[in-house]
Amino acid sequence: MAAKQRTRSRTVLLFRHFDEQACKGEIGRGSDELLSQSGAVSNGSVMSPQPNHSDNNNDAKKVKLDKNQNGKPSKVIHIRNIPNEVTEAEIIHLGIPFGRVTNVLVLKGKNQAFLEMADEVAASTMVTYFTSCMAQLRGRAVYVQFSNHKELKTDQTHSNANASAQAALQAASALSGQNETQGGPNTVLRVIIEHMVYPVTLEVLCQIFTRFGKVLKIVTFTKNNTFQALIQYPDVVTAQAAKLSLDGQNIYNSCCTLRIEYSKLTSLNVKYNNDKSRDYTNPNLPTGDPGLDATLAGLGAGAPGVLASPFAAMHGLGSPLTSPYGNSAVGGMGAGMPLAGFQMPGAAATTALSAAGIRLAGTMGSTGCVLLVSNLNEEMVTPDALFTLFGVYGDVQRVKILYNKKDSALIQMSEPHQAHLAMTHMDKLRVFGKQIRVMPSKHQTVQLPKEGQPDAGLTKDYSNSTLHRFKKPGSKNYQNIYPPSATLHLSNIPPSVSEEEIKDAFTKNGFPVKAFKFFPKDRKMALIQLPTMDDAVAALIKMHNYQLSESNHLRVSFSKSSI
């Protein structure tokens, strides 16, 4: 017993010595040699000496390390300073881009790991790469060097000790075989969205893929009726990590499945920064829309001020995936875990979260509450018209039609996620015969004119308006937000008002009615269908808050249904 106690004390002292040396920065290449002296390292567990009373079982748990006395390059890689919660799969992912990984050992108690490559060439490539580019695991810098050991021997029969390591190695083996047929890893990923029930925007993709590293460029397109994207990372390791973690995941519950492979392209050539393509390394690219580029130039902002800065700030945030999956497996995501925590712009997930009073952090939060709207019909548009239309998607605080460019306006919403909803639903919507453009503004607020400053009524403050739809937290109105359509939802109808009276009111204001239907169980509400969506947009602007009786004003919004 005393002998065992002495062995244990010697081992503890040995580890303490190692910690002290590591803290002093005195242990460099070959520091793993200290760890093998006790001869009792169990795979994936805290290192501790093993008692000898069950030799057979302990032999199965032990790891034998054959030393390389020459100090030359080895196919075994030693990785230091790993986070406590790191998995075998995460260690393996560091090595996969450089070649086939044949074995892995994680010493969680000592924040170290060993990775065995198929040959020294792959190991040398990996060590050389991480000499010039710092390796990271879960945001922590880790140190990659050659081990003093020639090979890493673990007992494959003891399944309980290394089940997770073997599973990770099998997955890596299958992956490396797949890579060989595909031509190997690349910095450009090709992403295919299957079962695309909800729209997936370039911004959504950027947020998801930024979780794994800096995204340089994105190009989206539709091929064979399937939405696809090309996404370029600065290096193969980052692209590899994103592919391994995201392939097969769902963006939203049970739909929008990511299928990821390596592209044959090694670099993307992006000509325009718009909703289809983006080069984050060159914010000065035009949008490709002559009218919009002219508007940006006329505002003196140029493409960088309006497009690049807000989007750069937005994408600089951690992805919404970080919080829900930060403590799970590789890349912050558990196997088979859907990305349901991600906010779905302008659709059911956004609505449901908003209804619960939850802000959609990470989608539009950093771009603020102000939108720039351009290509307006300056003959028809007024601040009140924009207040009513944008008020469908949030509480409009201020509207400013630009004095020197009256086909453009700034609109301030009360919350960033409301601005995102409005932009998602109304960019490229036809309003008064013109297709408007809606994008984030560089301004944080809309300034009211100073006293005596000419404004001609182009700037209005609506902060105290009684017509806000979402003043109450968790308002039920959040549950009834839908994209523009030719069918309008009417509410607040008094019992005394008939179908004919409502239809007459619309007709007299220039809106021919195609169909009308009261709700069977609630006559305070009805659906009214107009010939076109353009008619419906104009009718909503004109007829919202229309007085039906002394105490009842009509409430109008877009409907998800048709008659």
Side-chain angles (χ1 to χ4, degrees):
M1 194 69 184
K4 291 178 186 175
Q5 186 63 43
R6 283 197 300 274
T7 302
R8 185 177 289 108
S9 300
R10 177 177 174 274
T11 308
V12 169
L13 286 170
L14 189 63
F15 294 156
R16 188 176 298 154
H17 168 73
F18 175 81
D19 288 339
E20 289 170 358
Q21 295 292 88
C23 290
K24 292 175 184 176
E26 294 173 4
I27 296 178
R29 173 174 157 169
S31 60
D32 55 306
E33 200 165 346
L34 278 170
L35 300 177
S36 64
Q37 290 177 13
S38 70
V41 180
S42 69
N43 193 359
S45 62
V46 177
M47 291 174 58
S48 61
Q50 300 286 342
N52 296 321
H53 57 265
S54 56
D55 290 334
N56 293 337
N57 190 41
N58 291 324
D59 286 343
K61 293 180 182 177
K62 287 180 184 179
V63 177
K64 300 172 185 176
L65 300 175
D66 292 338
K67 295 182 182 180
N68 170 16
Q69 301 293 347
N70 300 322
K72 294 179 180 178
S74 164
K75 64 181 181 180
V76 180
I77 304 290
H78 180 215
I79 303 166
R80 296 182 292 126
N81 197 43
I82 66 171
N84 286 330
E85 67 279 8
V86 83
T87 65
E88 285 88 353
E90 285 172 281
I91 299 297
I92 289 170
H93 286 180
L94 281 179
I96 284 177
F98 305 98
R100 190 163 62 88
V101 177
T102 56
N103 211 344
V104 64
L105 171 65
V106 177
L107 308 176
K108 294 184 179 179
K110 295 281 93 181
N111 300 100
Q112 299 184 48
F114 296 91
L115 194 65
E116 184 180 275
M117 306 299 289
D119 52 56
E120 286 186 9
V121 174
S124 296
T125 306
M126 180 175 174
V127 170
T128 301
Y129 179 85
F130 286 122
T131 300
S132 58
C133 170
M134 178 61 72
Q136 286 195 341
L137 287 171
R138 302 197 179 210
R140 180 196 277 195
V142 298
Y143 304 98
V144 177
Q145 63 190 40
F146 289 117
S147 167
N148 273 354
H149 304 293
K150 208 166 188 178
E151 60 183 318
L152 191 61
K153 291 185 178 178
T154 54
D155 192 319
Q156 306 297 324
T157 61
H158 193 79
S159 58
N160 291 337
N162 55 24
S164 58
Q166 291 310 309
L169 284 167
Q170 286 176 14
S173 177
L175 182 74
S176 61
Q178 181 187 44
N179 288 345
E180 286 164 15
T181 60
Q182 289 185 357
N186 186 9
T187 57
V188 180
L189 299 176
R190 181 180 175 217
V191 181
I192 299 170
I193 311 292
E194 295 180 352
H195 314 301
M196 198 166 88
V197 176
Y198 301 111
V200 176
T201 64
L202 183 146
E203 278 70 39
V204 168
L205 289 172
C206 186
Q207 282 206 313
I208 292 172
F209 282 83
T210 298
R211 168 68 180 82
F212 300 92
K214 182 180 177 63
V215 172
L216 301 184
K217 302 172 185 178
I218 300 181
V219 175
T220 63
F221 57 96
T222 301
K223 184 177 181 181
N224 300 328
N225 294 321
T226 304
F227 181 76
Q228 302 186 28
L230 295 170
I231 298 175
Q232 183 176 343
Y233 281 112
D235 56 69
V236 171
V237 176
T238 309
Q240 178 87 46
K243 180 183 184 299
L244 289 169
S245 296
L246 292 175
D247 188 26
Q249 301 288 346
N250 295 330
I251 298 177
Y252 311 129
N253 280 328
S254 305
C255 67
C256 300
T257 306
L258 293 165
R259 299 295 178 201
I260 306 173
E261 58 191 44
Y262 294 107
S263 169
K264 294 177 182 177
L265 299 171
T266 55
S267 182
L268 299 180
N269 181 22
V270 177
K271 294 181 179 178
Y272 303 113
N273 281 340
N274 54 31
D275 57 348
K276 302 294 183 192
S277 62
R278 196 72 51 81
D279 183 345
Y280 297 98
T281 67
N282 185 2
N284 298 311
L285 289 176
T287 67
D289 181 333
L292 183 56
D293 288 330
T295 298
L296 296 175
L299 290 170
V306 179
L307 272 174
S309 297
F311 281 122
M314 177 164 75
H315 301 317
L317 288 176
S319 161
L321 302 179
T322 304
S323 298
Y325 308 107
N327 295 320
S328 58
V330 176
M333 300 185 59
M337 183 80 74
L339 315 190
F342 187 77
Q343 288 79 33
M344 178 169 47
T350 298
T351 308
L353 287 168
S354 301
I358 300 170
R359 288 193 187 186
L360 309 190
T363 46
M364 271 286 288
S366 59
T367 37
C369 302
V370 181
L371 296 170
L372 170 65
V373 186
S374 58
N375 202 38
L376 293 163
N377 184 334
E378 54 187 285
E379 309 264 324
M380 303 276 290
V381 76
T382 63
D384 287 348
L386 292 173
F387 165 75
T388 302
L389 181 58
F390 279 75
V392 171
Y393 300 107
D395 294 337
V396 176
Q397 301 298 301
R398 292 177 181 176
V399 176
K400 182 185 191 72
I401 295 175
L402 303 185
Y403 188 76
N404 294 320
K405 192 164 179 51
K406 293 184 174 62
D407 69 346
S408 301
L410 295 172
I411 298 176
Q412 182 179 332
M413 311 296 285
S414 65
E415 296 280 353
H417 74 262
Q418 294 178 356
H420 193 192
L421 275 173
M423 182 175 73
T424 302
H425 285 304
M426 291 199 290
D427 184 40
K428 298 183 181 175
L429 177 68
R430 285 178 63 85
V431 179
F432 299 139
K434 297 191 75 174
Q435 189 182 64
I436 67 170
R437 295 305 309 267
V438 185
M439 65 179 66
S441 168
K442 66 177 181 179
H443 298 287
Q444 297 303 307
T445 59
V446 171
Q447 297 294 326
L448 294 173
K450 296 175 183 176
E451 284 189 33
Q453 197 175 26
D455 183 68
L458 296 176
T459 307
K460 290 189 74 171
D461 184 283
Y462 296 95
S463 54
N464 296 317
S465 172
T466 57
L467 297 180
H468 289 156
R469 300 171 189 246
F470 308 101
K471 280 192 292 188
K472 295 178 183 176
S475 167
K476 285 187 177 180
N477 289 332
Y478 274 117
Q479 299 170 23
N480 296 301
I481 292 176
Y482 302 107
S485 70
T487 305
L488 298 174
H489 178 276
L490 311 180
S491 60
N492 204 36
I493 302 169
S496 58
V497 175
S498 68
E499 174 181 334
E500 290 307 315
E501 287 176 285
I502 295 173
K503 287 160 72 173
D504 284 347
F506 274 79
T507 304
K508 286 175 183 175
N509 280 282
F511 307 113
V513 178
K514 189 175 177 182
F516 183 92
K517 179 184 177 183
F518 274 115
F519 275 51
K521 294 182 180 178
D522 189 352
R523 207 180 165 283
K524 292 180 181 178
M525 295 190 290
L527 297 179
I528 189 166
Q529 190 171 335
L530 296 145
T532 67
M533 192 189 297
D534 290 23
D535 293 326
V537 170
L540 184 144
I541 291 170
K542 181 81 172 178
M543 301 303 292
H544 181 64
N545 204 42
Y546 181 85
Q547 189 163 1
L548 292 172
S549 68
E550 284 187 16
S551 58
N552 291 79
H553 289 74
L554 192 63
R555 295 286 181 263
V556 185
S557 57
F558 293 112
S559 170
K560 67 174 178 179
S561 311
S562 57
I563 302 171

